[in-house]
PDB file of all heavy atoms in Angstrom:
ATOM      1  N   ILE Z 175      -2.558  54.543  -6.645  1.00  0.00           N
ATOM      2  CA  ILE Z 175      -1.307  55.012  -7.264  1.00  0.00           C
ATOM      3  C   ILE Z 175      -1.493  56.414  -7.829  1.00  0.00           C
ATOM      4  O   ILE Z 175      -0.645  57.302  -7.639  1.00  0.00           O
ATOM      5  CB  ILE Z 175      -0.862  54.021  -8.376  1.00  0.00           C
ATOM      6  CG1 ILE Z 175      -0.419  52.694  -7.750  1.00  0.00           C
ATOM      7  CG2 ILE Z 175       0.268  54.615  -9.215  1.00  0.00           C
ATOM      8  CD1 ILE Z 175      -0.196  51.595  -8.760  1.00  0.00           C
ATOM      9  N   ALA Z 176      -2.617  56.646  -8.531  1.00  0.00           N
ATOM     10  CA  ALA Z 176      -2.878  57.944  -9.161  1.00  0.00           C
ATOM     11  C   ALA Z 176      -3.033  59.050  -8.131  1.00  0.00           C
ATOM     12  O   ALA Z 176      -2.669  60.208  -8.395  1.00  0.00           O
ATOM     13  CB  ALA Z 176      -4.138  57.858 -10.028  1.00  0.00           C
ATOM     14  N   THR Z 177      -3.551  58.718  -6.935  1.00  0.00           N
ATOM     15  CA  THR Z 177      -3.755  59.735  -5.900  1.00  0.00           C
ATOM     16  C   THR Z 177      -2.565  59.848  -4.945  1.00  0.00           C
ATOM     17  O   THR Z 177      -2.640  60.535  -3.932  1.00  0.00           O
ATOM     18  CB  THR Z 177      -5.025  59.414  -5.088  1.00  0.00           C
ATOM     19  OG1 THR Z 177      -4.945  58.078  -4.573  1.00  0.00           O
ATOM     20  CG2 THR Z 177      -6.266  59.552  -5.968  1.00  0.00           C
ATOM     21  N   GLY Z 178      -1.486  59.148  -5.252  1.00  0.00           N
ATOM     22  CA  GLY Z 178      -0.256  59.263  -4.463  1.00  0.00           C
ATOM     23  C   GLY Z 178      -0.267  58.516  -3.157  1.00  0.00           C
ATOM     24  O   GLY Z 178       0.610  58.725  -2.309  1.00  0.00           O
ATOM     25  N   GLN Z 179      -1.235  57.606  -2.960  1.00  0.00           N
ATOM     26  CA  GLN Z 179      -1.275  56.850  -1.711  1.00  0.00           C
ATOM     27  C   GLN Z 179      -0.197  55.773  -1.654  1.00  0.00           C
ATOM     28  O   GLN Z 179       0.152  55.293  -0.585  1.00  0.00           O
ATOM     29  CB  GLN Z 179      -2.663  56.213  -1.539  1.00  0.00           C
ATOM     30  CG  GLN Z 179      -3.799  57.229  -1.425  1.00  0.00           C
ATOM     31  CD  GLN Z 179      -5.153  56.550  -1.271  1.00  0.00           C
ATOM     32  OE1 GLN Z 179      -5.312  55.651  -0.439  1.00  0.00           O
ATOM     33  NE2 GLN Z 179      -6.126  56.979  -2.061  1.00  0.00           N
ATOM     34  N   ILE Z 180       0.306  55.398  -2.824  1.00  0.00           N
ATOM     35  CA  ILE Z 180       1.415  54.433  -2.901  1.00  0.00           C
ATOM     36  C   ILE Z 180       2.645  55.197  -3.361  1.00  0.00           C
ATOM     37  O   ILE Z 180       2.682  55.722  -4.483  1.00  0.00           O
ATOM     38  CB  ILE Z 180       1.114  53.284  -3.880  1.00  0.00           C
ATOM     39  CG1 ILE Z 180      -0.225  52.619  -3.567  1.00  0.00           C
ATOM     40  CG2 ILE Z 180       2.256  52.259  -3.884  1.00  0.00           C
ATOM     41  CD1 ILE Z 180      -0.276  51.932  -2.221  1.00  0.00           C
ATOM     42  N   PRO Z 181       3.677  55.328  -2.519  1.00  0.00           N
ATOM     43  CA  PRO Z 181       4.853  56.124  -2.898  1.00  0.00           C
ATOM     44  C   PRO Z 181       5.633  55.475  -4.040  1.00  0.00           C
ATOM     45  O   PRO Z 181       5.754  54.246  -4.117  1.00  0.00           O
ATOM     46  CB  PRO Z 181       5.687  56.152  -1.614  1.00  0.00           C
ATOM     47  CG  PRO Z 181       5.250  54.950  -0.847  1.00  0.00           C
ATOM     48  CD  PRO Z 181       3.807  54.754  -1.176  1.00  0.00           C
ATOM     49  N   ALA Z 182       6.175  56.333  -4.919  1.00  0.00           N
ATOM     50  CA  ALA Z 182       6.961  55.844  -6.059  1.00  0.00           C
ATOM     51  C   ALA Z 182       8.257  55.183  -5.604  1.00  0.00           C
ATOM     52  O   ALA Z 182       8.876  54.423  -6.353  1.00  0.00           O
ATOM     53  CB  ALA Z 182       7.267  57.000  -7.016  1.00  0.00           C
ATOM     54  N   SER Z 183       8.674  55.489  -4.392  1.00  0.00           N
ATOM     55  CA  SER Z 183       9.918  54.919  -3.867  1.00  0.00           C
ATOM     56  C   SER Z 183       9.788  53.426  -3.539  1.00  0.00           C
ATOM     57  O   SER Z 183      10.771  52.777  -3.192  1.00  0.00           O
ATOM     58  CB  SER Z 183      10.345  55.671  -2.602  1.00  0.00           C
ATOM     59  OG  SER Z 183       9.308  55.600  -1.616  1.00  0.00           O
ATOM     60  N   SER Z 184       8.559  52.898  -3.648  1.00  0.00           N
ATOM     61  CA  SER Z 184       8.346  51.492  -3.324  1.00  0.00           C
ATOM     62  C   SER Z 184       9.031  50.561  -4.321  1.00  0.00           C
ATOM     63  O   SER Z 184       9.241  49.388  -4.040  1.00  0.00           O
ATOM     64  CB  SER Z 184       6.846  51.156  -3.284  1.00  0.00           C
ATOM     65  OG  SER Z 184       6.182  51.959  -2.326  1.00  0.00           O
ATOM     66  N   HIS Z 185       9.351  51.086  -5.511  1.00  0.00           N
ATOM     67  CA  HIS Z 185       9.927  50.237  -6.550  1.00  0.00           C
ATOM     68  C   HIS Z 185      11.106  50.931  -7.215  1.00  0.00           C
ATOM     69  O   HIS Z 185      11.243  52.167  -7.148  1.00  0.00           O
ATOM     70  CB  HIS Z 185       8.871  49.918  -7.610  1.00  0.00           C
ATOM     71  CG  HIS Z 185       8.363  51.153  -8.312  1.00  0.00           C
ATOM     72  ND1 HIS Z 185       7.332  51.906  -7.804  1.00  0.00           N
ATOM     73  CD2 HIS Z 185       8.763  51.784  -9.460  1.00  0.00           C
ATOM     74  CE1 HIS Z 185       7.097  52.924  -8.616  1.00  0.00           C
ATOM     75  NE2 HIS Z 185       7.957  52.865  -9.626  1.00  0.00           N
ATOM     76  N   ALA Z 186      11.937  50.131  -7.838  1.00  0.00           N
ATOM     77  CA  ALA Z 186      13.054  50.682  -8.616  1.00  0.00           C
ATOM     78  C   ALA Z 186      12.506  51.241  -9.922  1.00  0.00           C
ATOM     79  O   ALA Z 186      11.599  50.653 -10.517  1.00  0.00           O
ATOM     80  CB  ALA Z 186      14.086  49.598  -8.901  1.00  0.00           C
ATOM     81  N   PRO Z 187      13.021  52.378 -10.398  1.00  0.00           N
ATOM     82  CA  PRO Z 187      12.502  52.955 -11.642  1.00  0.00           C
ATOM     83  C   PRO Z 187      12.814  52.055 -12.840  1.00  0.00           C
ATOM     84  O   PRO Z 187      13.803  51.329 -12.859  1.00  0.00           O
ATOM     85  CB  PRO Z 187      13.251  54.294 -11.739  1.00  0.00           C
ATOM     86  CG  PRO Z 187      14.471  54.115 -10.909  1.00  0.00           C
ATOM     87  CD  PRO Z 187      14.097  53.185  -9.802  1.00  0.00           C
ATOM     88  N   ILE Z 188      11.929  52.126 -13.835  1.00  0.00           N
ATOM     89  CA  ILE Z 188      12.149  51.359 -15.066  1.00  0.00           C
ATOM     90  C   ILE Z 188      13.417  51.859 -15.751  1.00  0.00           C
ATOM     91  O   ILE Z 188      13.619  53.063 -15.918  1.00  0.00           O
ATOM     92  CB  ILE Z 188      10.933  51.485 -16.004  1.00  0.00           C
ATOM     93  CG1 ILE Z 188       9.716  50.795 -15.375  1.00  0.00           C
ATOM     94  CG2 ILE Z 188      11.232  50.901 -17.385  1.00  0.00           C
ATOM     95  CD1 ILE Z 188       8.450  50.905 -16.180  1.00  0.00           C
ATOM     96  N   GLY Z 189      14.274  50.945 -16.125  1.00  0.00           N
ATOM     97  CA  GLY Z 189      15.539  51.305 -16.775  1.00  0.00           C
ATOM     98  C   GLY Z 189      16.711  51.347 -15.826  1.00  0.00           C
ATOM     99  O   GLY Z 189      17.846  51.590 -16.266  1.00  0.00           O
ATOM    100  N   ALA Z 190      16.456  51.152 -14.512  1.00  0.00           N
ATOM    101  CA  ALA Z 190      17.559  51.174 -13.547  1.00  0.00           C
ATOM    102  C   ALA Z 190      18.558  50.059 -13.876  1.00  0.00           C
ATOM    103  O   ALA Z 190      18.163  48.934 -14.178  1.00  0.00           O
ATOM    104  CB  ALA Z 190      17.017  50.970 -12.130  1.00  0.00           C
ATOM    105  N   PRO Z 191      19.866  50.352 -13.856  1.00  0.00           N
ATOM    106  CA  PRO Z 191      20.865  49.318 -14.182  1.00  0.00           C
ATOM    107  C   PRO Z 191      20.861  48.199 -13.141  1.00  0.00           C
ATOM    108  O   PRO Z 191      20.710  48.442 -11.945  1.00  0.00           O
ATOM    109  CB  PRO Z 191      22.189  50.094 -14.168  1.00  0.00           C
ATOM    110  CG  PRO Z 191      21.930  51.291 -13.319  1.00  0.00           C
ATOM    111  CD  PRO Z 191      20.489  51.641 -13.505  1.00  0.00           C
ATOM    112  N   VAL Z 192      21.022  46.975 -13.630  1.00  0.00           N
ATOM    113  CA  VAL Z 192      21.016  45.802 -12.767  1.00  0.00           C
ATOM    114  C   VAL Z 192      22.261  44.979 -13.052  1.00  0.00           C
ATOM    115  O   VAL Z 192      22.482  44.551 -14.187  1.00  0.00           O
ATOM    116  CB  VAL Z 192      19.757  44.935 -12.997  1.00  0.00           C
ATOM    117  CG1 VAL Z 192      19.768  43.730 -12.066  1.00  0.00           C
ATOM    118  CG2 VAL Z 192      18.491  45.761 -12.795  1.00  0.00           C
ATOM    119  N   GLN Z 193      23.069  44.801 -12.045  1.00  0.00           N
ATOM    120  CA  GLN Z 193      24.277  43.994 -12.220  1.00  0.00           C
ATOM    121  C   GLN Z 193      23.929  42.505 -12.219  1.00  0.00           C
ATOM    122  O   GLN Z 193      23.089  42.060 -11.441  1.00  0.00           O
ATOM    123  CB  GLN Z 193      25.277  44.276 -11.092  1.00  0.00           C
ATOM    124  CG  GLN Z 193      25.921  45.656 -11.172  1.00  0.00           C
ATOM    125  CD  GLN Z 193      27.005  45.828 -10.129  1.00  0.00           C
ATOM    126  OE1 GLN Z 193      27.141  45.004  -9.235  1.00  0.00           O
ATOM    127  NE2 GLN Z 193      27.780  46.899 -10.255  1.00  0.00           N
ATOM    128  N   GLY Z 194      24.584  41.760 -13.095  1.00  0.00           N
ATOM    129  CA  GLY Z 194      24.399  40.310 -13.139  1.00  0.00           C
ATOM    130  C   GLY Z 194      23.251  39.849 -14.006  1.00  0.00           C
ATOM    131  O   GLY Z 194      23.032  38.638 -14.142  1.00  0.00           O
ATOM    132  N   ILE Z 195      22.489  40.780 -14.583  1.00  0.00           N
ATOM    133  CA  ILE Z 195      21.373  40.380 -15.446  1.00  0.00           C
ATOM    134  C   ILE Z 195      21.922  39.850 -16.768  1.00  0.00           C
ATOM    135  O   ILE Z 195      22.877  40.385 -17.323  1.00  0.00           O
ATOM    136  CB  ILE Z 195      20.404  41.562 -15.683  1.00  0.00           C
ATOM    137  CG1 ILE Z 195      19.034  41.056 -16.171  1.00  0.00           C
ATOM    138  CG2 ILE Z 195      20.983  42.572 -16.652  1.00  0.00           C
ATOM    139  CD1 ILE Z 195      18.200  40.464 -15.107  1.00  0.00           C
ATOM    140  N   THR Z 196      21.325  38.754 -17.264  1.00  0.00           N
ATOM    141  CA  THR Z 196      21.773  38.164 -18.527  1.00  0.00           C
ATOM    142  C   THR Z 196      20.561  37.881 -19.407  1.00  0.00           C
ATOM    143  O   THR Z 196      19.422  37.797 -18.926  1.00  0.00           O
ATOM    144  CB  THR Z 196      22.509  36.833 -18.294  1.00  0.00           C
ATOM    145  OG1 THR Z 196      21.609  35.893 -17.682  1.00  0.00           O
ATOM    146  CG2 THR Z 196      23.734  37.032 -17.410  1.00  0.00           C
ATOM    147  N   LEU Z 197      20.808  37.740 -20.693  1.00  0.00           N
ATOM    148  CA  LEU Z 197      19.726  37.425 -21.628  1.00  0.00           C
ATOM    149  C   LEU Z 197      19.105  36.074 -21.285  1.00  0.00           C
ATOM    150  O   LEU Z 197      17.881  35.909 -21.349  1.00  0.00           O
ATOM    151  CB  LEU Z 197      20.271  37.405 -23.064  1.00  0.00           C
ATOM    152  CG  LEU Z 197      19.251  37.047 -24.154  1.00  0.00           C
ATOM    153  CD1 LEU Z 197      18.107  38.045 -24.190  1.00  0.00           C
ATOM    154  CD2 LEU Z 197      19.933  36.950 -25.523  1.00  0.00           C
ATOM    155  N   PHE Z 198      19.943  35.135 -20.879  1.00  0.00           N
ATOM    156  CA  PHE Z 198      19.443  33.798 -20.539  1.00  0.00           C
ATOM    157  C   PHE Z 198      18.471  33.881 -19.365  1.00  0.00           C
ATOM    158  O   PHE Z 198      17.420  33.236 -19.369  1.00  0.00           O
ATOM    159  CB  PHE Z 198      20.615  32.874 -20.198  1.00  0.00           C
ATOM    160  CG  PHE Z 198      20.189  31.479 -19.832  1.00  0.00           C
ATOM    161  CD1 PHE Z 198      19.821  30.566 -20.814  1.00  0.00           C
ATOM    162  CD2 PHE Z 198      20.136  31.082 -18.499  1.00  0.00           C
ATOM    163  CE1 PHE Z 198      19.420  29.288 -20.477  1.00  0.00           C
ATOM    164  CE2 PHE Z 198      19.736  29.803 -18.160  1.00  0.00           C
ATOM    165  CZ  PHE Z 198      19.380  28.903 -19.154  1.00  0.00           C
ATOM    166  N   LEU Z 199      18.803  34.675 -18.348  1.00  0.00           N
ATOM    167  CA  LEU Z 199      17.939  34.800 -17.181  1.00  0.00           C
ATOM    168  C   LEU Z 199      16.612  35.470 -17.565  1.00  0.00           C
ATOM    169  O   LEU Z 199      15.545  35.076 -17.091  1.00  0.00           O
ATOM    170  CB  LEU Z 199      18.640  35.588 -16.088  1.00  0.00           C
ATOM    171  CG  LEU Z 199      17.878  35.626 -14.743  1.00  0.00           C
ATOM    172  CD1 LEU Z 199      18.837  35.374 -13.585  1.00  0.00           C
ATOM    173  CD2 LEU Z 199      17.189  36.973 -14.555  1.00  0.00           C
ATOM    174  N   LEU Z 200      16.678  36.480 -18.445  1.00  0.00           N
ATOM    175  CA  LEU Z 200      15.451  37.143 -18.895  1.00  0.00           C
ATOM    176  C   LEU Z 200      14.564  36.184 -19.686  1.00  0.00           C
ATOM    177  O   LEU Z 200      13.333  36.185 -19.531  1.00  0.00           O
ATOM    178  CB  LEU Z 200      15.802  38.363 -19.741  1.00  0.00           C
ATOM    179  CG  LEU Z 200      16.463  39.533 -18.995  1.00  0.00           C
ATOM    180  CD1 LEU Z 200      16.862  40.632 -19.964  1.00  0.00           C
ATOM    181  CD2 LEU Z 200      15.513  40.095 -17.930  1.00  0.00           C
ATOM    182  N   LEU Z 201      15.193  35.359 -20.522  1.00  0.00           N
ATOM    183  CA  LEU Z 201      14.424  34.364 -21.278  1.00  0.00           C
ATOM    184  C   LEU Z 201      13.799  33.339 -20.335  1.00  0.00           C
ATOM    185  O   LEU Z 201      12.670  32.872 -20.548  1.00  0.00           O
ATOM    186  CB  LEU Z 201      15.320  33.672 -22.297  1.00  0.00           C
ATOM    187  CG  LEU Z 201      15.745  34.512 -23.504  1.00  0.00           C
ATOM    188  CD1 LEU Z 201      16.766  33.757 -24.349  1.00  0.00           C
ATOM    189  CD2 LEU Z 201      14.533  34.901 -24.353  1.00  0.00           C
ATOM    190  N   ARG Z 202      14.537  32.992 -19.286  1.00  0.00           N
ATOM    191  CA  ARG Z 202      14.013  32.049 -18.304  1.00  0.00           C
ATOM    192  C   ARG Z 202      12.808  32.651 -17.577  1.00  0.00           C
ATOM    193  O   ARG Z 202      11.806  31.966 -17.340  1.00  0.00           O
ATOM    194  CB  ARG Z 202      15.116  31.704 -17.305  1.00  0.00           C
ATOM    195  CG  ARG Z 202      14.737  30.635 -16.311  1.00  0.00           C
ATOM    196  CD  ARG Z 202      15.882  30.367 -15.356  1.00  0.00           C
ATOM    197  NE  ARG Z 202      15.452  29.588 -14.213  1.00  0.00           N
ATOM    198  CZ  ARG Z 202      16.160  29.426 -13.126  1.00  0.00           C
ATOM    199  NH1 ARG Z 202      17.363  29.990 -13.020  1.00  0.00           N
ATOM    200  NH2 ARG Z 202      15.707  28.716 -12.122  1.00  0.00           N
ATOM    201  N   ALA Z 203      12.898  33.942 -17.225  1.00  0.00           N
ATOM    202  CA  ALA Z 203      11.765  34.619 -16.577  1.00  0.00           C
ATOM    203  C   ALA Z 203      10.572  34.701 -17.530  1.00  0.00           C
ATOM    204  O   ALA Z 203       9.415  34.522 -17.120  1.00  0.00           O
ATOM    205  CB  ALA Z 203      12.186  36.021 -16.133  1.00  0.00           C
ATOM    206  N   PHE Z 204      10.861  34.944 -18.813  1.00  0.00           N
ATOM    207  CA  PHE Z 204       9.797  35.003 -19.816  1.00  0.00           C
ATOM    208  C   PHE Z 204       9.104  33.644 -19.938  1.00  0.00           C
ATOM    209  O   PHE Z 204       7.873  33.562 -19.976  1.00  0.00           O
ATOM    210  CB  PHE Z 204      10.386  35.424 -21.160  1.00  0.00           C
ATOM    211  CG  PHE Z 204       9.423  35.334 -22.311  1.00  0.00           C
ATOM    212  CD1 PHE Z 204       8.350  36.197 -22.410  1.00  0.00           C
ATOM    213  CD2 PHE Z 204       9.580  34.362 -23.295  1.00  0.00           C
ATOM    214  CE1 PHE Z 204       7.448  36.111 -23.466  1.00  0.00           C
ATOM    215  CE2 PHE Z 204       8.703  34.261 -24.342  1.00  0.00           C
ATOM    216  CZ  PHE Z 204       7.631  35.142 -24.441  1.00  0.00           C
ATOM    217  N   ALA Z 205       9.903  32.576 -19.983  1.00  0.00           N
ATOM    218  CA  ALA Z 205       9.337  31.221 -20.080  1.00  0.00           C
ATOM    219  C   ALA Z 205       8.471  30.917 -18.859  1.00  0.00           C
ATOM    220  O   ALA Z 205       7.385  30.322 -18.982  1.00  0.00           O
ATOM    221  CB  ALA Z 205      10.453  30.192 -20.213  1.00  0.00           C
ATOM    222  N   SER Z 206       8.939  31.319 -17.678  1.00  0.00           N
ATOM    223  CA  SER Z 206       8.149  31.089 -16.467  1.00  0.00           C
ATOM    224  C   SER Z 206       6.846  31.874 -16.506  1.00  0.00           C
ATOM    225  O   SER Z 206       5.793  31.375 -16.092  1.00  0.00           O
ATOM    226  CB  SER Z 206       8.964  31.489 -15.228  1.00  0.00           C
ATOM    227  OG  SER Z 206      10.107  30.676 -15.091  1.00  0.00           O
ATOM    228  N   GLY Z 207       6.901  33.096 -17.011  1.00  0.00           N
ATOM    229  CA  GLY Z 207       5.695  33.914 -17.120  1.00  0.00           C
ATOM    230  C   GLY Z 207       4.694  33.357 -18.106  1.00  0.00           C
ATOM    231  O   GLY Z 207       3.487  33.588 -17.990  1.00  0.00           O
ATOM    232  N   CYS Z 208       5.194  32.599 -19.077  1.00  0.00           N
ATOM    233  CA  CYS Z 208       4.304  31.994 -20.074  1.00  0.00           C
ATOM    234  C   CYS Z 208       3.418  30.902 -19.489  1.00  0.00           C
ATOM    235  O   CYS Z 208       2.520  30.397 -20.162  1.00  0.00           O
ATOM    236  CB  CYS Z 208       5.120  31.422 -21.240  1.00  0.00           C
ATOM    237  SG  CYS Z 208       5.803  32.704 -22.316  1.00  0.00           S
ATOM    238  N   SER Z 209       3.663  30.534 -18.225  1.00  0.00           N
ATOM    239  CA  SER Z 209       2.750  29.597 -17.562  1.00  0.00           C
ATOM    240  C   SER Z 209       1.359  30.210 -17.438  1.00  0.00           C
ATOM    241  O   SER Z 209       0.373  29.502 -17.214  1.00  0.00           O
ATOM    242  CB  SER Z 209       3.282  29.224 -16.177  1.00  0.00           C
ATOM    243  OG  SER Z 209       3.395  30.380 -15.356  1.00  0.00           O
ATOM    244  N   ALA Z 210       1.276  31.549 -17.590  1.00  0.00           N
ATOM    245  CA  ALA Z 210      -0.022  32.226 -17.559  1.00  0.00           C
ATOM    246  C   ALA Z 210      -0.863  31.914 -18.795  1.00  0.00           C
ATOM    247  O   ALA Z 210      -2.041  32.273 -18.852  1.00  0.00           O
ATOM    248  CB  ALA Z 210       0.176  33.738 -17.453  1.00  0.00           C
ATOM    249  N   LEU Z 211      -0.258  31.256 -19.798  1.00  0.00           N
ATOM    250  CA  LEU Z 211      -0.968  30.987 -21.053  1.00  0.00           C
ATOM    251  C   LEU Z 211      -1.544  29.576 -21.122  1.00  0.00           C
ATOM    252  O   LEU Z 211      -2.120  29.201 -22.140  1.00  0.00           O
ATOM    253  CB  LEU Z 211      -0.021  31.226 -22.246  1.00  0.00           C
ATOM    254  CG  LEU Z 211       0.619  32.617 -22.314  1.00  0.00           C
ATOM    255  CD1 LEU Z 211       1.500  32.727 -23.548  1.00  0.00           C
ATOM    256  CD2 LEU Z 211      -0.443  33.705 -22.321  1.00  0.00           C
ATOM    257  N   THR Z 212      -1.346  28.788 -20.069  1.00  0.00           N
ATOM    258  CA  THR Z 212      -1.908  27.436 -20.083  1.00  0.00           C
ATOM    259  C   THR Z 212      -3.432  27.510 -20.140  1.00  0.00           C
ATOM    260  O   THR Z 212      -4.043  28.331 -19.478  1.00  0.00           O
ATOM    261  CB  THR Z 212      -1.488  26.649 -18.834  1.00  0.00           C
ATOM    262  OG1 THR Z 212      -1.857  27.398 -17.667  1.00  0.00           O
ATOM    263  CG2 THR Z 212       0.013  26.415 -18.815  1.00  0.00           C
ATOM    264  N   GLY Z 213      -4.023  26.658 -20.942  1.00  0.00           N
ATOM    265  CA  GLY Z 213      -5.478  26.634 -21.069  1.00  0.00           C
ATOM    266  C   GLY Z 213      -6.018  27.402 -22.247  1.00  0.00           C
ATOM    267  O   GLY Z 213      -7.218  27.320 -22.558  1.00  0.00           O
ATOM    268  N   VAL Z 214      -5.145  28.145 -22.967  1.00  0.00           N
ATOM    269  CA  VAL Z 214      -5.599  28.938 -24.113  1.00  0.00           C
ATOM    270  C   VAL Z 214      -6.156  28.045 -25.212  1.00  0.00           C
ATOM    271  O   VAL Z 214      -7.069  28.420 -25.943  1.00  0.00           O
ATOM    272  CB  VAL Z 214      -4.439  29.816 -24.649  1.00  0.00           C
ATOM    273  CG1 VAL Z 214      -4.796  30.457 -25.979  1.00  0.00           C
ATOM    274  CG2 VAL Z 214      -4.088  30.895 -23.632  1.00  0.00           C
ATOM    275  N   GLU Z 215      -5.608  26.821 -25.336  1.00  0.00           N
ATOM    276  CA  GLU Z 215      -5.978  25.924 -26.435  1.00  0.00           C
ATOM    277  C   GLU Z 215      -7.296  25.195 -26.213  1.00  0.00           C
ATOM    278  O   GLU Z 215      -7.832  24.570 -27.130  1.00  0.00           O
ATOM    279  CB  GLU Z 215      -4.856  24.891 -26.655  1.00  0.00           C
ATOM    280  CG  GLU Z 215      -4.853  23.709 -25.713  1.00  0.00           C
ATOM    281  CD  GLU Z 215      -4.621  24.065 -24.249  1.00  0.00           C
ATOM    282  OE1 GLU Z 215      -3.944  25.079 -23.964  1.00  0.00           O
ATOM    283  OE2 GLU Z 215      -5.116  23.331 -23.380  1.00  0.00           O
ATOM    284  N   ALA Z 216      -7.851  25.255 -25.003  1.00  0.00           N
ATOM    285  CA  ALA Z 216      -9.003  24.409 -24.661  1.00  0.00           C
ATOM    286  C   ALA Z 216     -10.217  24.693 -25.539  1.00  0.00           C
ATOM    287  O   ALA Z 216     -10.949  23.771 -25.899  1.00  0.00           O
ATOM    288  CB  ALA Z 216      -9.364  24.612 -23.189  1.00  0.00           C
ATOM    289  N   ILE Z 217     -10.440  25.947 -25.908  1.00  0.00           N
ATOM    290  CA  ILE Z 217     -11.638  26.291 -26.681  1.00  0.00           C
ATOM    291  C   ILE Z 217     -11.612  25.632 -28.058  1.00  0.00           C
ATOM    292  O   ILE Z 217     -12.633  25.145 -28.544  1.00  0.00           O
ATOM    293  CB  ILE Z 217     -11.767  27.822 -26.800  1.00  0.00           C
ATOM    294  CG1 ILE Z 217     -12.116  28.409 -25.422  1.00  0.00           C
ATOM    295  CG2 ILE Z 217     -12.826  28.217 -27.821  1.00  0.00           C
ATOM    296  CD1 ILE Z 217     -12.130  29.911 -25.359  1.00  0.00           C
ATOM    297  N   SER Z 218     -10.439  25.578 -28.694  1.00  0.00           N
ATOM    298  CA  SER Z 218     -10.353  24.971 -30.029  1.00  0.00           C
ATOM    299  C   SER Z 218     -10.602  23.467 -29.982  1.00  0.00           C
ATOM    300  O   SER Z 218     -10.980  22.866 -30.985  1.00  0.00           O
ATOM    301  CB  SER Z 218      -8.984  25.252 -30.651  1.00  0.00           C
ATOM    302  OG  SER Z 218      -7.955  24.583 -29.954  1.00  0.00           O
ATOM    303  N   ASN Z 219     -10.384  22.839 -28.828  1.00  0.00           N
ATOM    304  CA  ASN Z 219     -10.667  21.403 -28.678  1.00  0.00           C
ATOM    305  C   ASN Z 219     -12.144  21.136 -28.448  1.00  0.00           C
ATOM    306  O   ASN Z 219     -12.620  20.031 -28.689  1.00  0.00           O
ATOM    307  CB  ASN Z 219      -9.875  20.824 -27.493  1.00  0.00           C
ATOM    308  CG  ASN Z 219      -8.409  20.645 -27.809  1.00  0.00           C
ATOM    309  OD1 ASN Z 219      -8.053  20.328 -28.927  1.00  0.00           O
ATOM    310  ND2 ASN Z 219      -7.561  20.866 -26.827  1.00  0.00           N
ATOM    311  N   ALA Z 220     -12.868  22.142 -27.960  1.00  0.00           N
ATOM    312  CA  ALA Z 220     -14.243  21.923 -27.495  1.00  0.00           C
ATOM    313  C   ALA Z 220     -15.290  22.617 -28.365  1.00  0.00           C
ATOM    314  O   ALA Z 220     -16.382  22.916 -27.892  1.00  0.00           O
ATOM    315  CB  ALA Z 220     -14.364  22.405 -26.050  1.00  0.00           C
ATOM    316  N   ILE Z 221     -15.000  22.854 -29.633  1.00  0.00           N
ATOM    317  CA  ILE Z 221     -15.941  23.549 -30.522  1.00  0.00           C
ATOM    318  C   ILE Z 221     -17.303  22.851 -30.583  1.00  0.00           C
ATOM    319  O   ILE Z 221     -18.336  23.527 -30.567  1.00  0.00           O
ATOM    320  CB  ILE Z 221     -15.343  23.697 -31.943  1.00  0.00           C
ATOM    321  CG1 ILE Z 221     -14.044  24.492 -31.886  1.00  0.00           C
ATOM    322  CG2 ILE Z 221     -16.329  24.403 -32.875  1.00  0.00           C
ATOM    323  CD1 ILE Z 221     -13.255  24.492 -33.177  1.00  0.00           C
ATOM    324  N   PRO Z 222     -17.367  21.499 -30.636  1.00  0.00           N
ATOM    325  CA  PRO Z 222     -18.689  20.853 -30.702  1.00  0.00           C
ATOM    326  C   PRO Z 222     -19.585  21.116 -29.495  1.00  0.00           C
ATOM    327  O   PRO Z 222     -20.794  20.865 -29.564  1.00  0.00           O
ATOM    328  CB  PRO Z 222     -18.342  19.354 -30.788  1.00  0.00           C
ATOM    329  CG  PRO Z 222     -16.975  19.315 -31.365  1.00  0.00           C
ATOM    330  CD  PRO Z 222     -16.279  20.515 -30.795  1.00  0.00           C
TER     331      PRO Z 222
END
């Protein structure tokens, strides 16, 4: 990316307006992304 081998046109710029986007949909995407946090609690269960 830094050397320009990946063109910036590959993605929409940050802040581009999106029709139909809602707070509920963003919260749903956030909740789905939180699946990346599964397993964080395991260490506190296994201290011994």
Side-chain angles (χ1 to χ4, degrees):
I175 291 170
T177 54
Q179 297 179 49
I180 307 296
S183 58
S184 301
H185 62 274
I188 293 178
V192 181
Q193 289 186 349
I195 199 76
T196 62
L197 178 61
F198 180 78
L199 187 135
L200 292 175
L201 288 173
R202 185 181 167 193
F204 172 69
S206 296
C208 287
S209 61
L211 304 181
T212 55
V214 170
E215 81 296 331
I217 290 174
S218 67
N219 285 325
I221 300 170

